[in-house]
Amino acid sequence: VMEASARFFEESLRSPAGAEARRYIEKRGLSRGAVGEFRIGYAPGSRSALKEHLGLAGFKLDEMTLSGMLISGDDIPVAYDRFRNRVMFPITDLKGRVIAFGGRALDPEAPAKYLNSPETPLFHKGHVLFNAQRARGPAHDKGRIIAVEGYMDVVSLSEAGFKEAVAPLGTALTEDQVRLLWRMSPEPILCFDGDGAGRKAAFRAIDVLLPHLKPGLSATFAFLPDGLDPDDLCRQQGPKAMEEVLSRTRPLAAMLFEREWSSGDWSTPERKARLEHQLRGLVDRIGDATVRAHYARDIAGRLAEA
């Protein structure tokens, strides 16, 4: 069902109905090569175009529903297509098989700009990274993996020569996704927008990472210039500007200290004691005793200096 849906969306993008989607893709500066490589497609605006296509191909209604491609339920008399009038990005497993989709709305009034497949027997979004299958080889060759925030960021970075880019699927980074990143590189680069939301997302990632740190396994943090995402940066200033961002990564220990230090005023002895207590509690969450001991020394040094 998922493979048949991917092919249908690819064909729809090439059809007259896909003209607006093609204009959007051109406006975003994507080449035909990228569209083909990522199998980008178009879900027509109809409530039944995909359902009819899959039906003619011999698939049953319950298979279409189980795969997440149709919306149905006790209060819905006629099941209908989940994705309508959207640019479609297939999400694959590590063997390259389509297991889900992400759809970008073309209608500015659509309730959700991005829509992912629901959880299905094939797809658990917290376990998967967009583009992981294609990024594995380049990550091994370059000795790094870059995690960015969205599908378009990944496609644009890949176009600019950064084939080792992946993205979580519209949610905060999960433990399973961290483990997947570590299979590709011992210190993945987590790349965030430079605005307040990007910093908050980076600070949340710290809590996910801390308990699982091991000797040699961590993450570094990179921040884009404020107001730009990787897509904007690569198009406006070229790949060199992105490479510069990636060369200025910050270690996890520095980010942890910055987060706690920026959360209050530590001008009195009692407040300093509270900050020290907070930091000690966070360091205690690190499961590995050796890493924990090194963090305790590192944080003590940063505290003394501050």
Side-chain angles (χ1 to χ4, degrees):
V1 173
M2 302 312 285
E3 178 57 33
S5 299
R7 287 182 188 167
F8 172 74
F9 294 143
E10 286 179 290
E11 284 161 19
S12 299
L13 180 65
R14 292 190 289 266
S15 76
E20 189 191 352
R22 291 195 300 275
R23 279 195 296 275
Y24 169 79
I25 286 165
E26 280 161 22
K27 196 173 78 188
R28 296 301 297 258
L30 299 187
S31 69
R32 276 191 185 174
V35 171
E37 184 187 350
F38 284 89
R39 301 189 65 189
I40 296 169
Y42 169 65
S46 154
R47 286 168 67 90
S48 60
L50 177 65
K51 181 169 84 167
E52 286 166 13
H53 174 83
L54 292 175
L56 288 171
F59 293 105
K60 298 185 180 73
L61 207 59
D62 59 349
E63 292 172 329
M64 301 179 210
T65 306
L66 188 64
S67 70
M69 299 314 295
L70 297 189
I71 291 178
S72 73
D74 298 338
D75 55 341
I76 299 169
V78 180
Y80 59 93
D81 293 1
R82 180 177 300 276
F83 297 99
R84 302 179 304 284
N85 196 25
R86 289 177 182 269
V87 174
M88 299 299 289
F89 298 85
I91 297 159
T92 67
D93 64 11
L94 288 172
K95 291 182 177 173
R97 298 173 297 195
V98 179
I99 55 170
F101 290 91
R104 203 285 187 190
L106 288 170
D107 178 2
E109 303 299 312
K113 184 175 165 184
Y114 279 97
L115 179 68
N116 281 338
S117 286
E119 299 277 309
T120 72
L122 291 179
F123 176 59
H124 307 286
K125 67 181 172 187
H127 299 190
V128 180
L129 290 163
F130 178 67
N131 199 44
Q133 181 252 340
R134 273 182 294 264
R136 276 198 304 183
H140 180 264
D141 296 343
K142 288 191 177 182
R144 73 177 181 192
I145 189 86
I146 307 160
V148 289
E149 293 188 55
Y151 308 122
M152 279 303 299
D153 296 333
V154 169
V155 179
S156 300
L157 283 176
S158 180
E159 280 269 79
F162 300 91
K163 302 277 185 190
E164 69 282 20
V166 296
L169 304 168
T171 57
L173 201 64
T174 67
E175 291 174 19
D176 286 318
Q177 288 167 336
V178 168
R179 290 190 190 99
L180 188 50
L181 287 168
W182 279 338
R183 283 167 62 182
M184 295 186 265
S185 171
E187 283 194 9
I189 299 169
L190 308 183
C191 184
F192 297 95
D193 294 352
D195 57 10
R199 279 205 123 48
K200 274 186 191 159
F203 288 162
R204 280 198 303 271
I206 292 169
D207 291 321
V208 177
L209 286 154
L210 270 182
H212 307 289
L213 300 177
K214 298 273 188 299
L217 287 184
S218 186
T220 61
F221 293 75
F223 292 94
L224 294 149
D226 200 358
L228 295 179
D229 59 24
D231 180 24
D232 298 326
L233 187 65
C234 287
R235 279 194 296 152
Q236 291 173 22
Q237 299 175 34
K240 205 172 171 187
M242 187 67 201
E243 199 62 73
E244 239 169 73
V245 165
L246 298 174
S247 71
R248 293 195 302 269
T249 57
R250 304 190 58 203
L252 180 53
M255 289 301 300
L256 173 64
F257 187 79
E258 182 195 308
R259 181 181 80 174
E260 299 308 306
W261 181 263
S262 65
S263 70
D265 169 5
W266 315 111
S267 56
T268 68
E270 296 84 358
R271 290 173 183 172
K272 285 172 181 154
R274 195 180 102 205
L275 174 62
E276 194 170 336
H277 183 73
Q278 268 175 227
L279 285 162
R280 199 176 294 134
L282 287 162
V283 169
D284 283 346
R285 291 180 54 206
I286 298 170
D288 184 272
T290 312
V291 177
R292 192 166 61 242
H294 279 281
Y295 259 74
R297 281 195 290 277
D298 182 280
I299 294 294
R302 290 176 194 274
L303 261 176
E305 199 180 313

